Amino acid sequence: MKQQLEDSDKWSLANIRILAMSFKSGDTVERHSHSTGQLIYAVSGIMELRTNDKIWRIPPQRGLWMPKEIEHEMTALSDVELRTVYLRDDETTPEISAEQQVISVNPLLRELILRGLDIADSQDAIAFKSQILSLVRMELQELVLDGILKSRWELPLPADLDKRLSKLCEAIIEDPGSKMTLDEWAKSVGASTRTLSRLFQSEFGTSFNSWRQQVRISSAMLQIDQGKQITTIAGDLGYETLTAFSQMFKKATGKTPSSYAAQKDSRR
């Protein structure tokens, strides 16, 4: 795959290449990197993407911009139909961004990506396909520069891989609604409460409660994008009342869960 991507005659159109791949639930792609930036986007299914220090769970309405040379791995959390847009940069088309970030894949970008895949690589279609792929780059660049979703979707992971902190973080990501206190987690992972508090501050610059809330926000947004009922999401995330959940969500995102869901529906 890497050898094909770097083959110069594969990049004759707008320095862009689009690939389609299918994965079954539970399939994984081992850690790797590319010499090009890429948009990782599933037209259907949920995927989990990880780098050394971050994790994302991405639904079909979203895509993850992954800059070149960043090692990452993927796990399909359901059956996934993946569309990956590779963008090679040069003097006239610099890399869109050196930062990883989640974008909202609007209907225009989605259709451009699918259309770019449909057009055959023939001499008769080469001019048309070049125009479509150029539009893909332009629209993607605008969405990446917007960048408003970045901090709400990425979940920081401990960079130094402290086993106690890693165990705690992984458990909360798997069960964001857990009501275990930091004292209880300390006993579970074999550390003192003070040590865990210090690790959260040194690794993430925030408290345990703030980090857990970020996990819950990300999980809530993912579940809303999946079409789940807001009352069900609130209960799954450990909130006693819908009001408490709504207040937390609005404080973090600036929108109520219902207004966020309405905005999501308008993007379809």
Side-chain angles (χ1 to χ4, degrees):
M1 179 72 74
K2 184 177 180 181
Q3 184 177 0
Q4 292 177 341
L5 289 175
E6 293 180 345
D7 190 352
S8 60
D9 64 3
K10 301 294 185 181
W11 295 94
S12 58
L13 300 174
N15 280 335
I16 299 176
R17 192 178 187 209
I18 305 175
L19 294 182
M21 291 166 275
S22 299
F23 298 93
K24 294 294 186 182
S25 179
D27 285 352
T28 61
V29 177
E30 294 183 355
R31 184 154 297 206
H32 64 287
S33 64
H34 300 280
S35 60
T36 65
Q38 63 177 135
L39 174 68
I40 307 170
Y41 166 56
V43 295
S44 65
I46 308 294
M47 55 184 172
E48 179 181 281
L49 292 149
R50 293 186 181 225
T51 60
N52 287 333
D53 59 352
K54 294 184 180 69
I55 181 173
W56 300 263
R57 288 184 171 179
I58 309 293
Q61 293 79 29
R62 314 292 182 189
L64 179 65
W65 170 252
M66 184 65 65
K68 61 184 179 182
E69 310 299 348
I70 301 293
E71 289 193 345
H72 57 282
E73 59 190 85
M74 190 275 281
T75 300
L77 301 182
S78 65
D79 290 354
V80 168
E81 285 296 325
L82 191 68
R83 304 294 180 264
T84 303
V85 182
Y86 297 94
L87 284 83
R88 190 173 66 172
D89 55 300
D90 58 23
E91 303 81 26
T92 59
T93 55
E95 185 175 32
I96 287 177
S97 174
E99 292 187 69
Q100 310 135 48
Q101 62 180 278
V102 172
I103 66 166
S104 178
V105 177
N106 60 29
L108 174 59
L109 180 57
R110 180 182 186 277
E111 293 306 316
L112 287 170
I113 290 171
L114 297 179
R115 191 72 178 101
L117 271 170
D118 287 342
I119 303 172
D121 290 325
S122 66
Q123 288 299 318
D124 293 338
I126 192 168
F128 180 45
K129 185 164 186 175
S130 181
Q131 290 178 333
I132 292 293
L133 295 181
S134 293
L135 287 172
V136 170
R137 178 185 286 276
M138 292 170 64
E139 185 65 14
L140 178 55
Q141 183 170 8
E142 288 298 314
L143 293 171
V144 170
L145 289 175
D146 191 29
I148 59 173
L149 293 173
K150 177 186 173 185
S151 62
R152 298 176 189 170
W153 279 86
E154 66 182 28
L155 299 177
L157 293 174
D160 67 359
L161 300 180
D162 180 282
K163 291 183 179 179
R164 299 162 298 180
L165 186 60
S166 293
K167 183 178 179 180
L168 189 162
C169 290
E170 292 286 354
I172 291 176
I173 288 170
E174 289 303 314
D175 182 16
S178 171
K179 295 183 179 180
M180 286 178 63
T181 66
L182 189 60
D183 288 339
E184 291 170 328
W185 277 115
K187 294 177 182 178
S188 176
V189 302
S192 69
T193 303
R194 183 176 180 180
T195 294
L196 286 182
S197 295
R198 177 180 55 79
L199 285 171
F200 269 98
Q201 287 295 335
S202 62
E203 289 290 338
F204 306 133
T206 190
S207 67
F208 163 73
N209 286 332
S210 295
W211 185 88
R212 180 170 60 181
Q213 179 173 292
Q214 187 175 350
V215 175
R216 289 176 173 175
I217 292 166
S218 178
S219 178
M221 294 172 75
L222 173 62
Q223 292 184 65
I224 290 173
D225 273 13
Q226 289 177 276
K228 292 187 179 179
Q229 293 294 317
I230 293 172
T231 51
T232 301
I233 297 171
D236 288 346
L237 294 180
Y239 288 88
E240 300 275 340
T241 66
L242 181 58
T243 299
F245 170 68
S246 297
Q247 288 175 344
M248 179 279 298
F249 192 91
K250 184 175 182 180
K251 183 177 180 180
T253 67
K255 299 179 182 295
T256 63
S258 57
S259 62
Y260 176 82
Q263 183 184 45
K264 176 265 299 183
D265 291 335
S266 70
R267 293 193 303 266
R268 291 183 181 276

